[in-house]
Amino acid sequence: MTDVVGKLWGYAHSLRHDGVDYGDYIEQLTYLLFLKMADEQGVALPHETDWPYLRKQSGTDLVDAYQDALRTLGKQPGMLGDIFAGAQNRLTKPATLSRLIKAIDETEWTSVDVDVKAAAFEGLLEKSASEGKKGAGQYFTPRPLIRTMVRLMQPDPRAHQQFSICDPACGTGGFLVAAYEWLKDRTGGAFDRGTARRIRTSTYYGQELVERPRRLALMNMYLHQVEPHIKLGDSIYEAPDSRRYDVVLTNPPFGNRGANEVPLREDFTIETANKQLNFLQHVLTILKPGGRAAVVVPDNVLFADKAGEIFEILMQDADVHTVLRCPRGTFNPYTPGTKTNVIFFTKSRPTSKVWVYDARANVPTITKKSRPLTDAHFADFERCYGLDPNGRAPRDAADSPDDRWHVFDIEDVKARDYKIDGFKWLRDDELDDAEDLGDPVELLAEAASELQLAVARLAELQKLLGGEVDA
């Protein structure tokens, strides 16, 4: 790691002894880094909010000046007001705040390579997500999975001038950052002036329900010299505006806690309170005709109540061409026990067949230290997927030497009432780790969904056999 990254890690660790957790630390670091770089770039800020003014303060005057500055900056227009909206000081000890300001002041941040600053910030986000606090990881998708999804979707804004990319549940901005980094790696960052400006200011969009992760997403993109449009709001219960997108990459929050009401959305064909199923309907709405999406969903979304109805609509209006069954523990340690899949689809043409890649059966459970998730876990899947982001590259089940790659005709899907969880062909001898089973409430909800599915299938079988079904 570079000296800069090491320094930021070191201060994160030392501040833990002052009762400042990683989440609070990275948020305060966001504010102070922005102010320091604004000063280096000569950006004019409101009176008594800039870096030189704060640097001159000491003791309780410093704490008071910092809090006043945050309050004033949060009322400003544009990116400035977005980053500081609702900002509060969590560094209440003058010595702690002073120490962090001095540490940041030692570096000329605008002269540090963009990739170094971005890597430091991403590293702190990952540390914050993995520190073990309940719910801390809900805004953080493992980077190997993100990179695979981005590489396959190929979100290239050079395709046309109105090209746009969206994550409607953007958390701390992992998908948007990865999409931009993929473009830079592919092109070397060489664009003409007009294209560079369009990519920087009019390409990356998102929405986030909670202030802190939205703020971190904005700063994350800002450190990459990109100005995203990330709204604060509820993607499901608030109707979207008229903007539509070429590519959607997203990992909606797991579980069904929160608003358990059916959204009043005219664009939602099927009424359900299931958040993940509603996110699939939402993604279908916000895609342009011909637009493509990759969406992370937990297992129970594939068989939950109303899942069949929603996947029927989805497969009529979009080509659900590929499903990736992720390894157990993909989201360890962020949300232990949650089994996940990625659904890939293209809007405006119906589904004719679904390719399923099983990266889970007989794969040892992912752990934080001894068996971490890496790009290698998805390398064979990427090769099988092919070079066409819309899933139309030539494919063959023999492409996977371990028999992990199978295709199912739409008639097979219809026969299962569009509930694609049942497409399993490998005997799986890998057992779930009892220590990674996850939240009992979530497990109970998943078990209830499975029971409902089993009862429904038994009732269907009873009808076929000519028996009466009890009410």
Side-chain angles (χ1 to χ4, degrees), residues 407-422:
V407 63
F408 300 91
D409 189 80
I410 188 62
E411 297 304 320
D412 297 325
V413 179
K414 289 179 180 178
R416 294 179 179 272
D417 296 324
Y418 293 89
K419 294 189 175 180
I420 57 180
D421 65 297

Side-chain angles (χ1 to χ4, degrees), residues 199-425:
I199 290 172
R200 192 177 69 250
T201 63
S202 307
T203 299
Y204 300 94
Y205 294 79
Q207 185 154 326
E208 173 53 46
L209 180 63
V210 182
E211 276 189 349
R212 176 186 277 187
R214 173 182 180 257
R215 185 185 342 276
L216 300 181
L218 288 165
M219 187 63 179
N220 206 354
M221 294 296 281
Y222 176 78
L223 288 173
H224 286 79
Q225 298 182 330
V226 176
E227 300 171 26
H229 303 266
I230 300 176
K231 295 193 298 184
L232 183 65
D234 193 315
S235 290
I236 298 303
Y237 291 91
E238 299 168 7
D241 59 26
S242 60
R243 183 176 290 278
R244 298 294 180 260
Y245 306 95
D246 295 273
V247 174
V248 173
L249 293 152
T250 192
N251 171 25
F254 300 148
N256 284 307
R257 292 181 179 178
N260 286 317
E261 300 175 359
V262 175
L264 300 175
R265 293 269 297 264
E266 292 183 2
D267 58 312
F268 282 10
T269 307
I270 306 300
E271 293 186 351
T272 176
N274 185 296
K275 288 192 297 185
Q276 290 83 27
L277 287 175
N278 282 326
F279 259 102
L280 287 175
Q281 295 194 91
H282 178 68
V283 171
L284 187 61
T285 290
I286 64 176
L287 276 175
K288 293 177 182 177
R292 55 191 181 269
V295 183
V296 180
V297 296
D299 268 17
N300 59 16
V301 167
L302 304 183
F303 57 77
D305 182 40
K306 301 291 182 74
E309 296 171 61
I310 284 178
F311 273 94
E312 181 177 7
I313 296 295
L314 186 62
M315 290 185 179
Q316 289 172 356
D317 294 347
D319 181 6
V320 183
H321 52 79
T322 310
V323 176
L324 166 65
R325 188 173 289 129
C326 297
R328 287 180 181 81
T330 290
F331 279 78
N332 276 347
Y334 318 121
T335 50
T338 301
K339 298 175 186 175
T340 53
N341 310 267
V342 183
I343 310 293
F344 297 84
F345 57 93
T346 302
K347 185 174 178 177
S348 296
R349 65 171 189 257
T351 303
S352 61
K353 55 189 174 183
V354 180
W355 285 85
V356 181
Y357 188 94
D358 189 344
R360 182 183 306 165
N362 304 311
V363 174
T365 301
I366 303 301
T367 63
K368 181 180 178 182
K369 293 181 179 178
S370 61
R371 293 191 300 271
L373 188 72
T374 68
D375 288 15
H377 282 95
F378 304 114
D380 187 56
F381 167 64
E382 289 189 38
R383 186 175 54 79
C384 289
Y385 187 101
L387 298 178
D388 186 334
N390 295 305
R392 289 193 156 182
R395 291 175 168 183
D396 190 327
D399 288 344
S400 176
D402 298 328
D403 195 31
R404 296 188 177 277
W405 187 227
H406 271 224
V407 63
F408 300 91
D409 189 80
I410 188 62
E411 297 304 320
D412 297 325
V413 179
K414 289 179 180 178
R416 294 179 179 272
D417 296 324
Y418 293 89
K419 294 189 175 180
I420 57 180
D421 65 297
F423 292 129
K424 297 173 185 176
W425 59 96

